[in-house]
Amino acid sequence: MNCVLTIAGSDSGAASGIQADLKSIAAHGGYGVTVLTAVTAQSTDAVTATLPVPAAVVTAQIDAVRAGFEVAAVKSGMLVDTERVTAVARVLGAWQPPNYVLDPVIVSTSGHTLLSPAGVEAMVGELLPLAALVTPNVGEAERLAGLKIASVSDAHAAGEIILRHGCGAVLIKGGHLGSSPATDVLIHPGGTLILHGDFVADARPRGTGCTLSAAIAARLGRGDSLAEAVASAKGYVGSAIRHAAATGDRLLDHFHAMGTV
């Protein structure tokens, strides 16, 4: 079975973080293994508390997974601060796992800070060079590139800047991309791929970024090309959003393809 490692925080509401990752990986036929970086208290509206896992325990979890499983892909999400970013970078740098997808989780949808400013600097310097793909949303890409993004061309320019930090490719998620909402832009050394989608105006789903990056990692672990993995994962998340919106729910339907049992 395709084994995918997710390094992220726990969401007590199970809409994002480790819990969303595991559901997304399972929906793509993978076996999810986990490294917990933090425990958070979350409702569907806000993050109300965060407790980081000691860096030594984060490292020990990665070592245990590496020793016991043949990992086909890795994704990381919430890393909390410099200490945990550096701990993860040190282990992944020595390991060089295949298909590493970095979701640069910086601020929650409700505005709760999930990565300290120093942690962002450490992530740029230590983790981005290890990543096959980085998946920032518009706000995160603006932070990483130092550039305001209001259009697809802005996203392309920001992606080119982020590429200079050494990552293999950048996917800027355009859920709120000015006049082109739901348009994602994949920038890599070989060119740019623009992926259009249908913006569901009345949906306010949570966990889309976690779900998308986990789906991409799972698809890469199965042998998809980068473009195939990104396009497939985008279609999957779009369908999950539409199924949630149809019921008036903010919780993504990760297993919508299975139908009703």
Side-chain angles (χ1 to χ4, degrees):
M1 185 178 288
N2 179 31
C3 185
V4 181
L5 167 62
T6 167
I7 306 170
S10 170
D11 171 5
S12 54
S16 61
I18 286 278
Q19 290 87 343
D21 290 347
L22 288 175
K23 287 181 276 190
S24 183
I25 292 165
H28 288 84
Y31 181 82
V33 288
T34 62
V35 168
L36 198 63
T37 59
V39 175
T40 70
Q42 296 192 43
S43 65
T44 55
D45 297 312
V47 180
T48 56
T50 300
L51 177 66
V53 172
V57 178
V58 172
T59 299
Q61 291 177 82
I62 299 175
D63 289 341
V65 168
R66 183 182 178 188
F69 298 88
E70 185 175 346
V71 176
V74 177
K75 72 142 286 187
S76 66
M78 178 185 178
L79 297 176
V80 188
D81 58 18
T82 306
E83 187 179 4
R84 269 140 285 274
V85 168
T86 297
V88 171
R90 185 170 56 249
V91 180
L92 295 189
W95 177 12
Q96 296 290 315
N99 303 314
Y100 171 39
V101 178
L102 168 59
D103 183 9
V105 177
I106 298 173
V107 180
S108 72
T109 302
S110 61
H112 191 93
T113 298
L114 300 177
L115 182 62
S116 66
V120 174
E121 291 185 17
M123 180 177 67
V124 170
E126 300 176 33
L127 275 179
L128 258 68
L130 303 176
L133 176 68
V134 182
T135 63
N137 59 31
V138 168
E140 291 161 346
E142 290 178 336
R143 181 81 170 269
L144 296 174
L147 180 70
K148 187 68 177 175
I149 300 172
S151 65
V152 170
S153 60
D154 291 342
H156 176 267
E160 292 285 355
I161 293 171
I162 297 170
L163 274 181
R164 295 173 196 161
H165 294 295
C167 55
V170 182
L171 176 68
I172 297 182
K173 300 172 292 191
H176 301 92
L177 183 59
S179 61
S180 302
T183 298
D184 298 345
V185 183
L186 176 65
I187 306 98
H188 56 92
T192 298
L193 177 64
I194 298 173
L195 300 104
H196 298 288
D198 297 323
F199 184 68
V200 184
D202 56 346
R204 295 185 302 124
R206 295 186 65 248
T208 53
C210 304
T211 298
L212 178 70
S213 56
I216 293 171
R219 299 296 308 192
L220 290 173
R222 289 175 55 171
D224 283 9
S225 69
L226 179 62
E228 290 170 339
V230 168
S232 175
K234 179 176 175 61
Y236 163 73
V237 173
S239 293
I241 292 172
R242 288 190 293 274
H243 277 76
T247 61
D249 204 335
R250 293 189 64 190
L251 303 176
L252 292 178
D253 185 353
H254 289 84
F255 300 106
H256 55 269
M258 295 177 63
T260 303
V261 178

